[in-house]
Every structure is written in structure tokens, then in C-alpha cells.
Amino acid sequence: MLEFECRFKGIEKPSYFDRRINQMVPFQAALGGGGRVTLQEAVRAAGLDWEGRLHCGLDDARNTARLLVELMLRGVKMSITGSLALPRPIQQQQP
């Protein structure tokens, strides 16, 4: 959404927004288990109550932040797990 919003408003997205943490990596490190879970399931599995409405962007962001804080309190280290940057095009060599 950030990429789209920046393009829509005609502003350049800073490159540091290309880095991301896949929240499933720290979640599985803290709580184990395999397979995918929804954000609501992850919040509840961490012992937290869901706050707000499902699929409301602001409420999802707040619950994501609460979940990540809980994981950090459990000693899980957060680190960049991926990039949203588009791969650079391969440059053709001139003969």
C-alpha cells in the first residue's frame, strides 16, 4: 500500500521502507508451530486480546505492533527478513 500511495501522491518512497520483517519468522521462533496463521490467531496465541475491528488497517497495524512488542518481551530478536525492493534490471553488455 505504501508503494501505491507514494506513486499516487507523486512522492519518492525512501529506500529504507523497502526493508521488512516477515512477522511469521519471530512469531514461530517464540511460539513454535508450523503453518500459516492469521494476525488475529497470532495475537491470541501470544496471550493478547484482539483490539478493534478485523481488517481495519489502523487496528491491524496496532495489533501487529502489540504482537511484536510481546515477542520482543519474550526475548525474540527482530531482524530484517526480506526486501520489498524490485530487483534491478539486468544490463545487457554492448558487443
Side-chain angles (χ1 to χ4, degrees), residues 55-73:
H55 307 298
C56 168
L58 183 57
D59 292 338
D60 286 353
R62 287 178 174 154
N63 282 294
T64 298
R66 292 175 52 244
L67 175 60
L68 292 178
V69 167
E70 177 62 26
L71 297 176
M72 288 187 288
L73 290 172

Side-chain angles (χ1 to χ4, degrees), residues 32-48:
R36 298 183 56 87
V37 296
T38 66
L39 177 57
Q40 185 180 31
E41 292 167 338
V43 167
R44 289 191 173 141
L48 303 171

